[in-house]
Amino acid sequence: MTRPKGGYYKAELGEPHKFDPTFRGPVHQRGCTDVLCCVIFVIVILGYIVLGTVAWMHGDPRKVVYPTDSYGQFCGQQGTPNANKAILFYFNILQCANPTVLINLQCPTTQLCVSKCPDRFATYIDMQINYRRNKSYWEYYKQFCKPGFNYPDKPVSHVLRDEDCPPMIVPSRPFLQRCFPDFITRNGTLTVANQTIFKDGHGRIRSVVDLRDAANGITSLLDAKEVGIKIFEDYASSWFWILIGLVISMLVSLIFILLLRFTAGVLFWMVIFGVIAAVGYGIWHCYWEYSSLQGKPDSDITISDIGFQTDFRVYLQLSQTWLIFMISLAVIEAIIILVLIFVRNRVRIAIALLKEGSKAIGCIMTTLFYPIITFLLLALCIAYWAVTAVFLASSGDAVYKVMSTLPNCKYTNLTCDPETFSQSNVTKLCPGSQCTFAFYGGESLYHRYIFVLQLCNLLVFLWVVNFTIALGQCTLAGAFASYYWALRKPEDIPACPLASSFGRALRYHTGSLAFGALILSIVQFIRIILEYLDHKMKGAHNAFTRFLLCCLKCCFWCLERFIKFMNRNAYIMISIYGKNFCGSARDAFFLLMRNVMRVAVLDKVTDFLLFLGKLLISGSVGVLAFFFFTRQIPVIQEEVPSLNYYWVPLLTVIFGSYMIAHGFFNVYAMCVDTLFLCFLLDLEKNDGSVSRPYYMASSLRAILNKKNHKRPDEKKKGRNRRSSNQTKSTDM
């Protein structure tokens, strides 16, 4: 039987060696899989577009961008009377310390759009006194009063009752487009405009501490803002050098992957023998300590005799402690050595696969840059989800609610009409209450289900994101499978393997990828809901409910990890066989279960080497960046920019280097996983005969004592070549 080039041998689970001469591995003659899920996915995407369009029609992001006054008007919106009034001013910020304050910086006091914040202490009473001799006092004060109010002689009690003007103003500065007191700490004392006390406009002297309590958290936020400005300045002056550091990390990551074919085994065995030597030294040290304590007074006391001691050094004076340490380390040493003896061949296979993965990436270098496509697609998904969420959140009309400083007001949080509120009984039953803007909403069907639409937005977002990741995994798996199933490498590798694999995945397996992504998205969606419930129930005293919630979170975390693992291997099988998702997941699962020890060893060896590589790359680039930004490299010392915090670019370079290495090594890990599954299939379905040769690398065949039998014509060519060489040597 003649074997077609690139042929393969297909088998069912119970028939590991059934020959299929029509298989070309990976399959190129494919059919569409999971068509129903593909149709549903397309319909959902179209519905998602419709949802975004409807949200865009009803929503107004200005409601999120601009602060809103008590009348539901935007501060700073162009084309409105508030165009030049971009800052929100609180009439009585002391009311913000009331426990009935709503979220989103909403206080039970009138809120007004102003062009600038107050820069001095003043009260309405003082203004009226000074107004009689100087009109400018009123001109300044009235800019913080309701628009159109111009009655400085109106009685103070009536002005405060009708909320025409604020009872007081304090020196403030804008933060998050809102006026907050200008706190400054001098010699450990909190001050506002160098004052520690002020008049509250009601005849009382108050401390600035009351203002701090009212604007709780604003002081730290303002300090954070100043730090943020300095950090921005550091980025502005060091971005070029940060970029150079990231480029260096990219080149080092690439070189590291390409060199793994030579260094994988050396790195692994060096670390393993280092661990064995370290544990051996620990055993010797424990024996030395144990011998030194022998014969010393009180050293033979047992641990149970002295009981529990907070000072651990007490136990180190006992010979029994060092004996326990020595026995424990000896057991650990024996376990490590025995494991290495029994799994040494599997470790050698894992290292050989790592080396082969480096060769595969060297042959298909374009795979290293595919994560850029995934990143761009994910950025598009995140942007669309965020914009849709903002438009949904800003849908509807202004909703006003009663806000009262009285804790027993039964009308608090009830909807109200600001135009008729002053004539209602609420002002009489709850003195000082206000009809204040609360949020945007409505009573229509659309507005009633905005929360449900937000949940749908989140679920579809997770689905699309997981589909994008699945598409990348299947594309890379198809490219690396093309490498493995090429009998002569790199001659038999098809042209443009990455582009061909991408086209196959999109054309034939969109439904299968969407199916796997949907399963994972549902689990992640449930986990998000559980996290939300856990956040809401932090103050709950029901121990059983908290325990049940914790168990559910743990179970779904494990389930998510398992589904990610199965999806990854299912996509590899899809890229090879072209089957549907369930069939591929089943085949991958049973294939891995038949080789569970190899899976465990390869997984741990790969994780260990890649983690070591990430630390090596980010650490080395980080050390170089540290010496550079701290001016410890004399050659380029003058090129270092002046920085407020040298750790800002340093941490950026370290984190960026780690993420770049992570991106490169994700491709490498996908390559190793793909080659591993192909290797297992190769072992089960081929026997090295002329019609069924092994496709694995010669290094793997040598480890397993496998070899391919040559065809008669190849043997004849080999004999002729040897005879020719012998003739030439005789002539010489």
Side-chain angles (χ1 to χ4, degrees):
M1 176 183 288
T2 59
R3 177 184 176 85
K5 185 178 75 171
Y8 187 64
Y9 298 82
K10 188 165 91 174
E12 300 299 328
L13 293 176
E15 303 176 88
H17 295 290
K18 185 178 178 181
F19 175 53
D20 180 11
T22 63
F23 194 83
R24 290 288 195 274
V27 176
H28 296 284
Q29 301 296 327
R30 299 175 180 240
C32 295
T33 56
D34 295 306
V35 178
L36 178 60
C37 194
C38 178
V39 173
I40 294 174
F41 182 66
V42 172
I43 293 174
V44 169
I45 293 297
L46 295 176
Y48 197 31
I49 296 173
V50 172
L51 174 61
T53 304
V54 173
W56 179 80
M57 293 171 60
H58 289 83
D60 189 350
R62 294 173 301 179
K63 299 172 183 177
V64 178
V65 175
Y66 299 107
T68 308
D69 63 13
S70 296
Y71 309 101
Q73 299 174 344
F74 304 132
C75 297
Q77 180 185 352
Q78 298 298 320
T80 67
N82 292 331
N84 298 321
K85 300 177 179 179
I87 308 171
L88 191 67
F89 171 74
Y90 296 93
F91 264 34
N92 189 357
I93 197 171
L94 292 173
Q95 299 292 351
C96 297
N98 192 284
T100 60
V101 171
L102 294 180
I103 60 173
N104 298 327
L105 300 177
Q106 293 291 341
C107 300
T109 185
T110 300
Q111 299 161 37
L112 198 68
C113 296
V114 296
S115 58
K116 62 179 181 179
C117 296
D119 58 6
R120 67 195 72 171
F121 280 109
T123 65
Y124 192 82
I125 298 174
D126 294 339
M127 185 280 302
Q128 277 197 333
I129 295 173
N130 294 319
Y131 166 72
R132 295 184 178 91
R133 67 172 185 269
N134 190 341
K135 305 293 183 182
S136 63
Y137 281 93
W138 170 244
E139 293 300 324
Y140 179 80
Y141 203 93
K142 76 173 183 179
Q143 62 183 324
F144 305 108
C145 299
K146 288 182 178 179
F149 180 77
N150 196 19
Y151 305 101
D153 294 323
K154 186 176 179 179
V156 175
S157 59
H158 292 180
V159 171
L160 300 182
R161 179 197 64 192
D162 299 335
E163 292 270 349
D164 293 322
C165 289
M168 63 167 183
I169 56 176
V170 298
S172 307
R173 56 175 167 172
F175 180 73
L176 299 176
Q177 292 184 270
R178 291 164 174 83
C179 290
F180 288 105
D182 189 6
F183 295 111
I184 298 176
T185 302
R186 297 185 182 277
N187 299 324
T189 303
L190 185 68
T191 64
V192 175
N194 295 325
Q195 295 188 29
T196 58
I197 58 175
F198 65 96
K199 299 177 182 178
D200 67 354
H202 295 279
R204 294 189 297 270
I205 302 297
R206 305 287 290 267
S207 170
V208 296
V209 176
D210 298 330
L211 289 174
R212 182 194 62 189
D213 295 338
N216 187 26
I218 297 302
T219 306
S220 58
L221 289 174
L222 290 173
D223 293 339
K225 182 181 179 182
E226 294 179 359
V227 173
I229 292 173
K230 293 182 179 180
I231 290 176
F232 179 79
E233 293 174 351
D234 289 344
Y235 278 127
S237 58
S238 62
W239 67 269
F240 177 73
W241 298 104
I242 292 175
L243 187 62
I244 290 178
L246 297 180
V247 170
I248 291 174
S249 65
M250 183 180 68
L251 295 176
V252 173
S253 299
L254 178 61
I255 294 172
F256 184 86
I257 289 176
L258 295 179
L259 290 180
L260 270 179
R261 70 181 73 178
F262 309 110
T263 60
V266 176
L267 281 175
F268 179 79
W269 290 115
M270 279 180 59
V271 173
I272 291 297
F273 287 125
V275 171
I276 293 175
V279 176
Y281 171 79
I283 295 172
W284 174 83
H285 182 77
C286 292
Y287 175 76
W288 182 80
E289 292 284 354
Y290 175 77
S291 301
S292 301
L293 290 173
Q294 288 293 317
K296 288 187 177 181
D298 299 330
S299 64
D300 56 347
I301 300 175
T302 63
I303 295 176
S304 59
D305 291 336
I306 64 173
F308 176 75
Q309 300 290 329
T310 55
D311 189 358
F312 186 74
R313 289 174 296 181
V314 174
Y315 298 105
L316 298 181
Q317 305 302 319
L318 306 178
S319 59
Q320 187 185 50
T321 302
W322 293 104
L323 180 62
I324 293 173
F325 285 165
M326 182 176 64
I327 294 174
S328 300
L329 290 177
V331 171
I332 294 173
E333 184 89 329
I335 291 174
I336 293 175
I337 294 174
L338 288 176
V339 168
L340 287 176
I341 291 174
F342 285 106
V343 301
R344 63 186 184 281
N345 275 340
R346 293 184 175 89
V347 172
R348 292 173 63 198
I349 291 172
I351 294 174
L353 283 170
L354 289 169
K355 294 179 179 179
E356 194 65 18
S358 178
K359 294 179 183 178
I361 290 178
C363 292
I364 315 176
M365 292 287 290
T366 52
T367 54
L368 287 174
F369 302 98
Y370 183 83
I372 298 176
I373 298 176
T374 302
F375 172 79
L376 294 176
L377 292 175
L378 289 177
L380 180 64
C381 295
I382 294 172
Y384 185 85
W385 166 78
V387 170
T388 303
V390 168
F391 273 91
L392 283 173
S394 61
S395 297
D397 301 321
V399 174
Y400 300 86
K401 289 195 173 185
V402 177
M403 296 186 184
S404 175
T405 57
L406 301 177
N408 57 352
C409 179
K410 63 180 181 180
Y411 296 101
T412 301
N413 290 336
L414 295 181
T415 56
C416 58
D417 186 350
E419 296 181 359
T420 61
F421 183 75
S422 58
Q423 288 80 34
S424 65
N425 293 329
V426 179
T427 55
K428 299 176 182 178
L429 298 174
C430 301
S433 59
Q434 297 287 323
C435 183
T436 307
F437 166 79
F439 56 87
Y440 291 96
E443 299 299 327
S444 67
L445 183 66
Y446 169 76
H447 294 112
R448 285 201 299 267
Y449 286 95
I450 281 183
F451 181 71
V452 176
L453 294 177
Q454 286 281 25
L455 293 179
C456 294
N457 182 31
L458 176 61
L459 179 59
V460 179
F461 164 71
L462 293 174
W463 194 2
V464 175
V465 165
N466 287 318
F467 174 81
T468 302
I469 296 173
L471 177 62
Q473 291 176 342
C474 191
T475 298
L476 292 173
F480 294 127
S482 299
Y483 167 86
Y484 186 93
W485 297 116
L487 190 58
R488 296 175 302 165
K489 302 175 179 65
E491 291 84 359
D492 289 347
I493 300 176
C496 303
L498 185 67
S500 301
S501 179
F502 182 79
R504 288 196 303 269
L506 267 185
R507 181 178 178 182
Y508 299 110
H509 306 303
T510 296
S512 298
L513 301 180
F515 190 14
L518 177 61
I519 297 173
L520 180 59
S521 301
I522 292 173
V523 174
Q524 291 174 336
F525 184 73
I526 295 174
R527 284 197 64 205
I528 292 174
I529 293 176
L530 291 175
E531 290 291 343
Y532 174 78
L533 293 176
D534 183 54
H535 177 73
K536 287 295 184 182
M537 297 178 65
K538 278 186 177 179
H541 300 288
N542 191 330
F544 176 75
T545 304
R546 295 296 305 276
F547 172 76
L548 180 62
L549 196 59
C550 183
C551 291
L552 288 174
K553 288 171 58 179
C554 179
C555 291
F556 276 96
W557 179 84
C558 295
L559 181 61
E560 181 185 358
R561 299 281 295 183
F562 175 74
I563 291 176
K564 282 184 176 180
F565 175 77
M566 286 308 307
N567 281 7
R568 184 183 182 92
N569 290 283
Y571 299 146
I572 295 174
M573 298 299 285
I574 288 173
S575 68
I576 298 173
Y577 279 114
K579 292 183 178 180
N580 59 30
F581 176 79
C582 291
S584 299
R586 180 197 61 198
D587 292 347
F589 178 77
F590 285 109
L591 178 64
L592 295 174
M593 287 302 100
R594 291 195 297 270
N595 299 272
V596 64
M597 282 300 297
R598 284 173 175 164
V599 173
V601 172
L602 177 76
D603 186 56
K604 296 308 174 186
V605 171
T606 304
D607 288 346
F608 172 74
L609 284 181
L610 295 188
F611 178 71
L612 191 66
K614 293 174 188 178
L615 289 184
L616 181 65
I617 292 169
S618 58
S620 59
V621 176
V623 169
L624 179 63
F626 173 79
F627 284 121
F628 173 78
F629 288 116
T630 55
R631 301 175 183 271
Q632 297 186 38
I633 303 179
V635 179
I636 52 177
Q637 193 173 13
E638 300 299 327
E639 301 294 332
V640 181
S642 179
L643 302 170
N644 296 300
Y645 311 108
Y646 75 86
W647 50 263
V648 171
L650 176 61
L651 292 181
T652 303
V653 169
I654 293 175
F655 179 75
S657 300
Y658 185 87
M659 295 307 297
I660 289 174
H662 181 72
F664 275 96
F665 289 169
N666 270 349
V667 175
Y668 184 70
M670 194 70 203
C671 175
V672 173
D673 288 347
T674 303
L675 297 182
F676 179 57
L677 281 185
C678 293
F679 164 74
L680 296 180
L681 291 169
D682 196 7
L683 274 180
E684 287 192 353
K685 303 177 188 304
N686 297 323
D687 57 8
S689 62
V690 174
S691 59
R692 296 163 60 179
Y694 291 116
Y695 283 78
M696 66 186 73
S698 56
S699 57
L700 286 169
R701 293 201 302 268
I703 293 172
L704 297 171
N705 293 321
K706 306 283 186 182
K707 61 181 180 179
N708 283 334
H709 299 286
K710 295 183 178 180
R711 293 194 300 268
D713 56 338
E714 291 181 346
K715 291 182 179 179
K716 185 176 180 180
K717 289 180 180 178
R719 287 195 297 268
N720 292 338
R721 192 179 298 112
R722 286 193 297 271
S723 300
S724 176
N725 292 335
Q726 291 174 359
T727 303
K728 289 180 180 179
S729 61
T730 303
D731 294 341
M732 293 174 64

